[in-house]
Amino acid sequence: MNLVVLQNWLDNASFAILFLTMLVYWGGAAFPNLPYLAALGTAGMAIANLGIATLLGARWIEAGYFPLSNLYESLFFLTWGITAVHLIAENSSRSRLVGVATAPVAMAITAFATMTLPSQMQASEPLVPALKSNWLMMHVSVMMLSYSALMVGSLLAIAFLVVTRGQNIQLQGSSVGTGGYRSNGYRLHKASELISQSPDPAVENNGFARFETSSNGNGNGNTAVLNLVTTPESQVVASAEPLSPQRLSLAETLDNISYRIIGLGFPLLTIGIIAGGVWANEAWGSYWSWDPKETWALITWLVFAAYLHARITRGWQGRSPAILASTGLLVVWVCYLGVNLLGKGLHSYGWFF
């Protein structure tokens, strides 16, 4: 089969599969009693991932170089990375909500690459001298994988805000810094110091008690036990509707997996920026020239560095870091696509200006 024909077939098939997969995930969210939809969504993402990998492989064989030289190729590589990170996140979280957030983005990227880009930008062309380097695979592939991971982590942060309705709830910690593993209202007492509590329901800062206090009357006065210190109902904001246990469990899962996926993408971004600096020095004689792409890459690095610093050092969890990660999604898109299409510099494609 002609490799060009195969590529044209695969890019359209990938779009169709991702579109159907998006509908499956949305249908599964609307009708959670249909368990087979979750398996169909996962299968659709896996098939799309395999199809895009085949497309990139055919492109590599046809052109003779790693397929990351133009916008069309990088968009499909980005989609492949998003579907791959999606499968990792979904396998870790066991939540179909991951696909509700990631499938539309993956579908939109393939639609943009297949239906919007001019035909001359989709065709493979001989590499310019500056790109004839092994750094093309090293730098660009690592950067694209970092974008994929950071986008998925940011999308899960947005899903967290949707699930929690923007409430500032307290979570079982997934951060490891000061204040990371929350006490959730528990204090350590000796059994002899326990005083019977009133039967009023305990209220956490999310509106309901998640654990009950129990005491053992056989204590000898030296045994330390955990006693739940409840928050008075007067301290709970009356307008905040308590979240169900299912929503809280899902919110904790999304917060945790978002943190871990961003923790994967950030070192990849760091390695990619360093590799880009070395390649720039080799090609242009300068490690850093404050090109618009380089500037926005630095801004992206600073945003997610602030996110990880807040989570690891300050122990932030929940709404505040999720909002920061959500803004990071916009920054990544500006760095990857906005600068390339709208800006003027060494990394620009010059489509609009």
Side-chain angles (χ1 to χ4, degrees):
M1 178 182 291
N2 188 314
L3 290 179
V4 176
V5 175
L6 177 63
Q7 293 169 41
N8 293 334
W9 185 86
L10 284 173
D11 61 7
N12 288 283
S14 299
F15 164 72
I17 292 170
L18 287 170
F19 179 74
L20 294 175
T21 301
M22 178 191 70
L23 296 180
V24 167
Y25 274 116
W26 286 3
F31 304 99
N33 294 328
L34 301 177
Y36 63 88
L37 290 180
L40 282 177
T42 303
M45 276 292 193
I47 294 172
N49 180 272
L50 181 60
I52 294 172
T54 305
L55 185 155
L56 293 173
R59 189 92 169 185
W60 194 347
I61 295 173
E62 178 211 354
Y65 55 82
F66 193 70
L68 275 175
S69 64
N70 60 25
L71 182 59
Y72 175 83
E73 295 168 353
S74 70
L75 284 169
F76 271 101
F77 192 90
L78 177 68
T79 307
W80 177 83
I82 289 175
T83 55
V85 175
H86 160 91
L87 293 172
I88 296 173
E90 189 175 60
N91 182 68
S92 301
S93 64
R94 303 295 180 182
S95 172
R96 70 182 69 183
L97 196 60
V98 176
V100 174
T102 58
V105 175
M107 185 274 296
I109 295 173
T110 57
F112 178 72
T114 304
M115 304 176 185
T116 305
L117 290 182
S119 57
Q120 62 269 24
M121 294 190 69
Q122 298 185 23
S124 59
E125 297 179 352
L127 291 177
V128 299
L131 296 180
K132 293 180 180 179
S133 171
N134 292 329
W135 288 106
L136 173 65
M137 180 185 299
M138 174 62 185
H139 166 61
V140 184
S141 63
V142 173
M143 289 296 293
M144 298 306 299
L145 288 174
S146 72
Y147 291 159
S148 301
L150 295 175
M151 285 181 184
V152 172
S154 299
L155 287 169
L156 295 181
I158 294 174
F160 169 86
L161 293 174
V162 173
V163 167
T164 60
R165 307 189 193 101
Q167 296 183 25
N168 190 19
I169 65 173
Q170 191 173 5
L171 303 173
Q172 302 292 320
S174 59
S175 301
V176 295
T178 303
Y181 290 94
R182 312 284 188 184
S183 63
N184 284 318
Y186 285 96
R187 292 179 184 171
L188 198 61
H189 294 280
K190 291 184 178 180
S192 60
E193 297 174 351
L194 289 180
I195 302 174
S196 60
Q197 303 291 332
S198 63
D200 295 337
V203 181
E204 284 190 15
N205 60 354
N206 53 22
F208 67 95
R210 303 180 63 187
F211 301 94
E212 295 179 356
T213 304
S214 60
S215 59
N216 187 352
N218 297 327
N220 57 9
N222 296 320
T223 304
V225 298
L226 286 175
N227 180 31
L228 178 63
V229 179
T230 64
T231 303
E233 293 188 9
S234 60
Q235 296 180 9
V236 180
V237 180
S239 61
E241 181 182 351
L243 299 178
S244 66
Q246 293 80 7
R247 275 182 175 266
L248 268 181
S249 177
L250 179 58
E252 288 184 345
T253 300
L254 291 173
D255 180 77
N256 185 33
I257 198 66
S258 172
Y259 169 50
R260 295 178 185 276
I261 293 296
I262 291 176
L264 170 66
F266 182 76
L268 290 175
L269 178 65
T270 305
I271 294 172
I273 291 175
I274 294 173
V278 175
W279 188 15
N281 183 65
E282 179 183 292
W284 301 318
S286 174
Y287 288 99
W288 194 270
S289 57
W290 293 105
D291 180 74
K293 184 78 166 185
E294 297 172 351
T295 303
W296 276 97
L298 178 61
I299 293 172
T300 304
W301 189 91
L302 291 174
V303 168
F304 287 101
Y307 169 86
L308 292 175
H309 174 77
R311 295 212 52 148
I312 296 174
T313 305
R314 299 289 302 277
W316 281 15
Q317 296 178 27
R319 183 177 64 183
S320 297
I323 293 173
L324 183 57
S326 302
T327 60
L329 178 64
L330 176 62
V331 174
V332 171
W333 273 114
V334 172
C335 177
Y336 166 63
L337 199 58
V339 172
N340 287 34
L341 295 181
L342 301 177
K344 294 183 179 180
L346 298 171
H347 297 80
S348 301
Y349 295 111
W351 185 19
F352 292 144
F353 299 107

